[in-house]
Amino acid sequence: MEGAHLVSQPRPETLTPEGVDLEHPNVARVYDFYLGGSANYAIDRVFAEKALERYPFVRPAAMANRLFLHRVVRYLAKRGIRQFIDVGSGVPTMGSTHQVADEIVPDAHCVYIDNEAVAVAHSQMLLEREDVTDRHTVIQADLREPDLLWSKIADSGVIDLDQPVALLLIAVLHVTQPGPDGEDVGPQSVARFRDLLPSGSYLGITHGTDDDVPEYRKREMSDFGKMYDKSATPVLWRSHADIEKFFGELPMVEPGATWIPLWHPEESSENAPEIEFDAPNDSVLWAGVAHKP
């Protein structure tokens, strides 16, 4: 499944959930377009095509980010993790968390969480089509409300929150919307998630950064970010140090925080697409996995 695009999915115009904002491009749907998916609207495609024309580094970075997710799921499944919580999961493109986990173990359980109605609708459609809703589900929730989100996970009956889980925050924290007073709620939300995680769990994060990248790429990322400032979901690039603060005092899995291509490349599947970067920092995503003893 890794590297394969899911096919025969209708355009979301055919199943538009009530209340979807069609006046602004949405980051989950735009990201889906970058990965070659179909769960996007004309407003998203126009935005994404313009972004890719100006900043071609975006598509390989997005693909490498998805392959990092695959490697993390494979790595953790081999080490006994059977429960996965994918927050800000987006739409089912280029292999989903549950599909990768199911390739490794037959008893994986996964909860997808997104605050975007189209992402939730498409994820639900995929799970029903695969007839796996006994072990996998999707919830509409917001990471800015960690206790409510955790309560919805418990209510789903899919995840036993007394047992270890893998909490995956993949390319979502740099698009977290501010709180009601304009404050950056990402750090406090993740700190609460760390408290909620049961012993034996893992926390996986990727985050866009313009730290330690070439000057030309830093300028591109600044301009690219300004494009998103006009969308419904502005972006925030953090430094390596600020990204690593999300892990708190949790011990890091080797090799620690690093560029996404460098994190356990041996966990790539045989049919994973080759993503060519001039250097690891060309991926512009800083990442890591931590363990809660």
Side-chain angles (χ1 to χ4, degrees), residues 6-10 124-133:
L6 302 177
V7 296
S8 301
Q9 294 187 47
Q124 183 63 36
M125 181 181 66
L126 172 68
L127 296 175
E128 291 175 356
R129 180 184 299 166
E130 295 183 6
D131 193 23
V132 292
T133 53

Side-chain angles (χ1 to χ4, degrees), residues 139-182:
I139 295 169
Q140 187 163 2
D142 195 311
L143 69 79
R144 293 173 296 177
E145 299 176 302
D147 288 282
L148 177 59
L149 185 153
W150 216 248
S151 176
K152 288 185 175 184
I153 294 172
D155 291 343
S156 75
V158 170
I159 299 288
D160 180 355
L161 291 174
D162 291 327
Q163 298 299 317
V165 302
L167 177 62
L168 306 172
L169 300 169
I170 305 300
V172 63
L173 291 169
H174 56 243
V175 292
T176 303
Q177 295 172 318
D181 297 322

Side-chain angles (χ1 to χ4, degrees), residues 41-79:
Y41 294 90
I43 186 81
D44 307 305
R45 297 190 285 275
V46 169
F47 179 94
E49 287 168 352
K50 184 180 296 185
L52 291 174
E53 181 180 354
R54 296 179 181 177
Y55 315 110
F57 76 91
V58 171
R59 174 161 278 160
M63 294 179 67
N65 182 69
R66 180 53 61 100
L67 295 177
F68 170 88
L69 167 66
H70 294 177
R71 298 197 306 275
V72 170
V73 172
R74 189 174 288 109
Y75 178 94
L76 295 180
K78 290 177 180 178
R79 285 155 180 81

Side-chain angles (χ1 to χ4, degrees), residues 26-39:
N26 174 270
V27 65
R29 303 189 310 251
V30 170
Y31 184 67
D32 169 71
F33 181 88
Y34 293 153
L35 294 175
S38 61

Side-chain angles (χ1 to χ4, degrees), residues 252-272:
M252 301 290 291
V253 172
E254 291 295 332
T258 187
W259 298 108
I260 51 175
L262 301 180
W263 198 90
H264 289 278
E266 76 281 359
E267 292 295 346
S268 300
S269 73
E270 292 182 0
N271 62 338

Side-chain angles (χ1 to χ4, degrees), residues 203-233:
L203 172 63
I205 293 173
T206 70
H207 196 299
T209 181
D210 60 3
D211 215 3
D212 194 29
V213 301
E215 282 301 317
Y216 73 88
R217 183 53 43 79
K218 186 172 292 191
R219 290 192 296 271
E220 286 181 332
M221 292 186 70
S222 175
D223 292 343
F224 178 63
K226 290 174 184 175
M227 286 188 67
Y228 274 86
D229 288 343
K230 301 174 184 177
S231 75
T233 42

